[in-house]
Amino acid sequence: MCRIISIYSVFVYIILTIAGCTTTKTTTSSTGTTSKTGSTAGSTTAGTTTEKKVVVTPSTPVVKANLAPGLEREILALVNDYRKKKKLGPLQSNAAMEYQARRHSMDMGTHRIPFGHQGLSFRMKYIMDKVPGVTQVGENVAFGNLSARAVVDGWIKSAEHRKNMEGNFKYTGIGVTRNMQNQLYFTQLFAK
């Protein structure tokens, strides 16, 4: 077994190479979603080598952060007001989705992960496992020193974010984190 330790920014990556398995590579698209792809040029063919990338996050965050439940409640009220104007039913807050939204905002706010949708496939699976009957999940994120109104207005002005807000969704979970640099990170999950 070969262990290679590399430090990228604030993350520690431990790459373990084990002989006898398929090569996989984790890539990140421009939207921040993570996907697994097969071997790239120069790598071995299936069945000969495995490279497993294990991400180890620091035991203490690089930056400390706190939740902002007041902003979460404001965002839910504003989103449901918007949906009402569009003659759509209100979104119901769901504890499992709220947990995932808060966790994602905390990870972004403490710089454990970059701003974006990294880990969305994990959040989707978790929600589908915990919330009976869920078949579709959407996510909106934002950051900056913004009020709840400014975040919701920004999402309304963006076609992709607005699509989630106007979607045929039933449940939502909202997480807002304020870090020690007074930066806010917002995540809203949607499910049906």
Side-chain angles (χ1 to χ4, degrees):
M1 180 179 348
C2 176
R3 292 184 185 187
I4 303 168
I5 300 175
S6 302
I7 298 176
Y8 297 106
S9 185
V10 295
F11 298 106
V12 178
Y13 293 94
I14 300 174
I15 303 172
L16 303 174
T17 305
I18 303 169
C21 299
T22 317
T23 301
T24 60
K25 178 182 177 187
T26 303
T27 59
T28 304
S29 72
S30 61
T31 61
T33 54
T34 302
S35 62
K36 286 217 171 187
T37 58
S39 301
T40 57
S43 58
T44 59
T45 57
T48 58
T49 308
T50 295
E51 291 180 23
K52 291 186 179 180
K53 185 186 270 187
V54 179
V55 178
V56 179
T57 57
S59 60
T60 56
V62 178
V63 176
K64 293 185 180 188
N66 297 306
L67 295 173
L71 282 170
E72 294 168 359
R73 288 188 296 273
E74 283 184 68
I75 290 170
L76 178 59
L78 291 167
V79 169
N80 278 337
D81 286 347
Y82 175 77
R83 288 176 61 87
K84 185 177 181 179
K85 290 175 188 173
K86 295 291 183 179
K87 306 215 184 313
L88 300 166
L91 297 171
Q92 299 172 23
S93 187
N94 177 277
M97 294 175 65
E98 185 176 272
Y99 168 75
Q100 285 298 318
R102 284 177 168 177
R103 183 175 173 180
H104 185 57
S105 290
M106 186 66 73
D107 285 345
M108 291 186 298
T110 57
H111 304 283
R112 286 185 179 144
I113 62 170
F115 172 76
H117 299 285
Q118 184 173 330
L120 178 58
S121 59
F122 169 80
R123 289 187 293 285
M124 290 172 66
K125 182 180 180 337
Y126 181 93
I127 291 165
M128 289 179 181
D129 288 347
K130 298 289 183 186
V131 185
V134 168
T135 59
Q136 186 177 353
V137 172
E139 179 178 78
N140 287 353
V141 297
F143 80 96
N145 293 327
L146 306 168
S147 66
R149 169 65 66 192
V151 170
V152 173
D153 286 348
W155 286 340
I156 290 169
K157 291 175 185 171
S158 163
E160 291 296 316
H161 294 96
R162 188 174 58 248
K163 182 178 176 183
N164 282 337
M165 292 175 64
E166 294 176 357
N168 186 26
F169 293 112
K170 182 177 180 181
Y171 304 108
T172 192
I174 300 169
V176 181
T177 297
R178 180 187 310 273
N179 67 19
M180 299 308 281
Q181 284 74 36
N182 207 30
Q183 299 165 323
L184 291 165
Y185 289 82
F186 305 84
T187 302
Q188 183 171 16
L189 290 163
F190 304 84
K192 68 175 181 175

